[in-house]
Amino acid sequence: MPLWSTPESPIATRVAQQHASIVGTDPTHTASAPATWPLMGEHIDHYGGIVAASLSDLRAAAAVSLRTDGIVAVHYIPTRGEPVHDSIGLQEVATLAAAQQPTTDSEGQPVIPPAPEGGLAARIGGIVHTMVNRQLLSRETAGADITIVNDIPADIGLGAASAADVATALALMGPVDNLDAPLRVRVAEVCTQAVTTFAHQPALRARHTAALRSSGDGVCIIDYADGSVTHAPHVVDQDVTAFAVAVPGDNAEEQSQAISAIRQRQQFIDDACHSFGTESLRLLPDAQQRVVEWLKAVHKVYGEEGRPSINAATEWMAFYAEENTRVEHFVRYLRSHRRNELFPIVLQSQASLTNIYGFDSAEKIAELVTVRGALAARSAHAGLSNAVIAYVPSNRATNFAADLADDGFLLVTLAAGEPAKIED
């Protein structure tokens, strides 16, 4: 399979043309957003850790025009694969939102609503609904036709769905006087909230944040202890090329299992934060010991059913703390240009994802690409993708890509990208 390629014409032009062809009218506004890829830290996002992420030159674009019948109609056009056409009523979206509100039982214990199962229309309709409720769209909004063209390959850890979220939100907003940092923060929060409430796949808020708040130059460093976004020099330069390397094919069964596992970990974090009255476990002093002791008490009073085991929770807490320390060191080495110390940390993170955190979906690919000449490789999004990010010496990159492509792997060159923007 050859390297991933996309049409040469601008994606904003293509999405406007597709919208006019499908809907029968020119779009009111268009916007686009980049692919995102995590260098490290994506599994400590929910814990409140540090995430190092980057943008790619691949993009998703959205075109919108308003309706008056209460329907959100979504037309999704991938570069490869069949188009998807789906729709949902805003009243149904409101019902789905209400079903996700937590309640309490007779003993005052929280009753967790079932995980959302929404598909494409619910996810995109959820963005419309959330933007209205967060006052980013008029309350008079009564539906929309939304066309999405996506040049980002799906399910290989490059944030294809997240890019579509951001592009849709910006297109719905339309041109603004100043798309400044505070407004970009609000849009990112809206996208994450909508995905969390409506979508089958859990949100990775760092993708929405990076797509909107990264400068596009260097690595975007998102510290959820204080919500800050800074930048560091990129590991990818004239000497190092990065590829996403994936096994083509359907990994729906593995992905479904990973989604359940990720939701369990996120719920564990949310329950612990609620019990300790903290916004994130990272801000809780002595969190590793205190959280495990809390869970032991919960088991004693309420039983173990529906809750993680003590061994599992102990491993998760150790992973969160150790991974956060690894990201801190990684960022420090990036900023001090100590490249030789970067890649051992990447390999340590990959080993920890597999052996401690329990996500081994891309372990064999990581081992293979390292044998084939990569300096290091790490899961593109462990559990949710059967793909890795491989860092390869640039003087070997052409042969590296050709050999793996001949073996049937899908390869995407990760060139620098630009942050999300309103096109028209």
Side-chain angles (χ1 to χ4, degrees):
M1 179 173 287
L3 283 169
W4 183 265
S5 60
T6 59
E8 293 184 1
S9 58
I11 193 169
T13 301
R14 284 184 278 131
V15 76
Q17 292 172 343
Q18 288 282 4
H19 188 85
S21 174
I22 295 169
V23 178
T25 184
D26 289 334
T28 307
H29 304 298
T30 60
S32 68
T36 51
W37 52 281
L39 289 84
M40 198 177 299
E42 73 279 10
H43 283 287
I44 57 173
D45 172 297
H46 205 74
Y47 163 79
I50 305 171
V51 183
S54 186
L55 308 184
S56 160
D57 60 339
L58 298 176
R59 299 183 79 80
V64 303
S65 53
L66 297 181
R67 299 171 63 119
T68 59
D69 58 357
I71 299 296
V72 176
V74 185
H75 313 282
Y76 187 89
I77 318 296
T79 295
R80 299 181 190 175
E82 294 299 317
V84 177
H85 304 279
D86 199 2
S87 63
I88 192 168
L90 286 174
Q91 186 58 51
E92 182 181 350
V93 174
T95 300
L96 292 173
Q100 288 299 308
Q101 300 306 307
T103 58
T104 56
D105 62 18
S106 58
E107 296 181 350
Q109 290 298 302
V111 176
I112 307 302
E117 294 290 341
L120 176 64
R123 181 177 182 132
I124 300 300
I127 291 174
V128 177
H129 172 89
T130 308
M131 291 182 73
V132 170
N133 281 276
R134 294 286 295 271
Q135 299 181 342
L136 287 174
L137 279 181
S138 167
R139 291 195 176 275
E140 303 302 316
T141 302
D145 284 302
I146 301 172
T147 303
I148 299 168
V149 171
N150 207 328
D151 286 347
I152 307 165
D155 298 327
I156 71 165
L158 297 184
S162 297
D165 298 336
V166 172
T168 297
L170 291 182
L172 285 164
M173 284 175 53
V176 295
D177 292 337
N178 185 15
L179 189 58
D180 57 7
L183 183 52
R184 287 177 177 270
V185 170
R186 289 182 65 196
V187 175
E189 289 175 346
V190 161
C191 289
T192 299
Q193 180 183 345
V195 173
T196 300
T197 304
F198 298 99
H200 173 59
Q201 191 171 111
L204 175 56
R205 58 179 171 168
R207 291 197 188 276
H208 296 134
T209 300
L212 280 154
R213 300 182 63 190
S214 175
S215 66
D217 298 323
V219 177
C220 180
I221 311 301
I222 308 162
D223 189 337
Y224 284 110
D226 57 9
S228 64
V229 173
T230 57
H231 294 85
H234 214 300
V235 64
V236 176
D237 58 16
Q238 62 182 4
D239 298 319
V240 176
T241 300
F243 294 97
V245 183
V247 177
D250 185 5
N251 67 332
E253 183 175 348
E254 289 182 0
Q255 192 177 85
S256 177
Q257 293 173 356
I259 287 172
S260 296
I262 290 171
R263 289 199 183 280
Q264 183 189 31
R265 288 155 171 77
Q266 290 184 346
Q267 190 60 56
F268 164 71
I269 291 172
D270 291 343
D271 290 345
C273 285
H274 177 76
S275 294
F276 284 101
T278 182
E279 291 185 4
S280 83
L281 290 187
R282 183 178 165 211
L283 299 176
L284 180 69
D286 303 316
Q288 282 184 259
Q289 179 180 348
R290 293 174 68 186
V291 169
V292 172
E293 291 300 321
W294 161 79
L295 183 61
K296 289 178 180 177
V298 171
H299 282 187
K300 185 175 181 179
V301 175
Y302 297 107
E304 299 183 21
E305 185 178 356
R307 299 176 176 88
S309 68
I310 299 301
N311 286 341
T314 301
E315 290 185 340
W316 298 348
M317 292 302 297
F319 171 81
Y320 297 142
E322 292 167 4
E323 184 78 348
N324 198 71
T325 299
R326 278 190 288 268
V327 181
E328 288 177 338
H329 291 164
F330 185 81
V331 172
R332 189 179 307 136
Y333 296 152
L334 279 175
R335 288 179 169 148
S336 58
H337 300 279
R338 294 155 67 182
R339 171 171 289 164
N340 291 339
E341 299 182 69
L342 290 172
F343 297 120
I345 295 180
V346 172
L347 295 173
Q348 290 168 19
S349 177
Q350 173 59 35
S352 187
L353 281 169
T354 299
N355 299 323
I356 298 178
Y357 207 52
F359 287 138
D360 60 359
S361 61
E363 177 188 14
K364 298 301 182 184
I365 308 176
E367 293 175 357
L368 174 64
V369 299
T370 304
V371 170
R372 294 288 186 90
L375 297 166
R378 184 181 178 279
S379 297
H381 193 165
L384 294 180
S385 71
N386 196 11
V388 300
I389 305 299
Y391 303 93
V392 183
S394 294
N395 59 3
R396 302 180 193 167
T398 300
N399 290 338
F400 173 88
D403 290 346
L404 287 173
D406 287 344
D407 289 341
F409 288 90
L410 170 63
L411 284 94
V412 181
T413 305
L414 299 175
E418 298 179 348
K421 60 183 178 181
I422 299 168
E423 301 279 358
D424 181 22

